[in-house]
Amino acid sequence: MAITTDMIKQLREETGAGVLECKKALEASSGDFEKAILFLRERGLATAAKKASREAKDGLVSLQVDAQGQWGVILEVNCETDFVARTEDFRAFTRALLQQLCDEPAVPDVATLLERPFVLDQNVTIGQQLTALVAKLGENIIIRRFARLQRDGIGWIEGYLHPGDRIGVILHASAGDPRVAESTAFRELVHDLALQVAAAAPRYVAPSDIPSEVLEAERAIYRAQIADEKKPEPIKERIIAGKLDKWYETVCLLRQPFIKDDALRVADLLEQKSKQLGTPLTVERFVRYELGMGE
């Protein structure tokens, strides 16, 4: 069967592959369009494998929170360069992926996600679509991580995406009174808390949330720092406790100075607002993604 220019053009528009690759695929499949697409995807797998060892630390952080503040989803997809991160192909894939995660709350991890049918083309999995995108854009692309917050009680889930799409936060705060949870004052507070997390990068809500192994590792560092000092053990323990208190101010949201008024700790702010609004206000949890950083 003769391979026409129109056939090559159509296959190129469908797959994003180059002219010569499209021609070879059509020749190898005797003009069968579906077989030619499969041929290119199979070749894309080989191309992706070559690129998979390259570091991907650029990309996009994206998020979505529903209009009732019931749930929020945050996603990080990585590529190698800002150039690819700004392409419409990369952004469209990320948008579709985020929407799929919003629509499929039961997906637990990236490995499972890759096996799901792609929302924009049910004939391929997300993994296959990702492979085709790698082949088209010529860079290693990784779905790095995603998270979902869901609330059952009274409160609000807020999302904040910093300009540039490199830092994103979803945060769940609760209130004891449903009328307060619907108030402008409470929503503004939750927004400020999300800004705080974005700017100050805490890792935990409170010291009690720090895993014991992390706490012990930090203690060991401080113990080693003062090991040679000739001081009684009780004094050394007080020094270590003091260092931990300073560390909490860095890693624990409630211990941090409030970004809009550094005379206040975030815990003090919550206490003030709880009294003003007449009901307990609590930060339940948050997720903060910074492009290429963290676990």
Side-chain angles (χ1 to χ4, degrees), residues 1 21 69 103 121 139 213 237 259 289 295:
M1 179 180 180
E21 285 135 336
D103 294 341
D121 183 356
E139 284 194 7
E213 62 272 19
E237 286 302 317
I259 56 171
Y289 285 173
E295 298 176 0

Side-chain angles (χ1 to χ4, degrees), residues 193-247:
L193 292 170
L195 289 177
Q196 174 84 28
V197 172
R203 292 162 56 192
Y204 312 100
V205 175
S208 59
D209 298 315
I210 301 173
S212 58
E213 62 272 19
V214 175
L215 191 58
E216 281 309 307
E218 198 68 20
R219 284 183 190 276
I221 291 169
Y222 301 144
R223 195 170 287 115
Q225 288 174 352
I226 61 173
D228 295 334
E229 294 185 15
K230 299 184 186 303
K231 292 177 180 174
E233 197 58 34
I235 292 180
K236 285 186 175 183
E237 286 302 317
R238 285 201 294 272
I239 291 171
I240 291 169
K243 287 177 177 287
L244 282 172
D245 268 342
K246 291 299 292 181
W247 180 62

Side-chain angles (χ1 to χ4, degrees), residues 23-140:
K23 183 179 180 183
K24 288 177 185 176
L26 287 164
E27 288 172 346
S29 59
S30 301
D32 186 305
F33 200 72
E34 293 304 319
K35 288 182 179 178
I37 291 174
L38 182 60
F39 177 92
L40 287 170
R41 283 187 175 140
E42 287 173 348
R43 185 172 180 182
L45 281 169
T47 304
K50 290 176 185 176
K51 293 180 173 65
S53 62
R54 300 198 326 220
E55 241 182 339
K57 287 195 172 181
D58 216 293
L60 293 173
V61 174
S62 57
L63 60 85
Q64 185 170 328
V65 175
D66 81 320
Q68 287 72 46
Q70 289 278 1
W71 54 260
V73 175
I74 187 167
L75 166 71
E76 180 179 347
V77 182
N78 295 144
C79 57
E80 295 176 47
T81 65
D82 179 60
F83 175 79
V84 162
R86 287 185 282 107
T87 63
E88 180 54 28
D89 287 310
F90 184 85
R91 289 180 173 271
F93 175 73
T94 303
R95 285 195 300 270
L97 206 56
L98 179 64
Q99 188 57 56
Q100 186 154 354
L101 287 168
C102 292
D103 294 341
E104 299 184 27
V107 175
D109 51 43
V110 172
T112 305
L113 180 66
L114 290 170
E115 297 299 319
R116 298 290 302 147
F118 184 48
V119 65
L120 298 183
D121 183 356
Q122 297 288 307
N123 295 316
V124 299
T125 66
I126 289 173
Q128 290 169 330
Q129 185 67 25
L130 179 62
T131 295
L133 189 63
V134 169
K136 180 177 182 179
L137 298 180
E139 284 194 7
N140 188 20

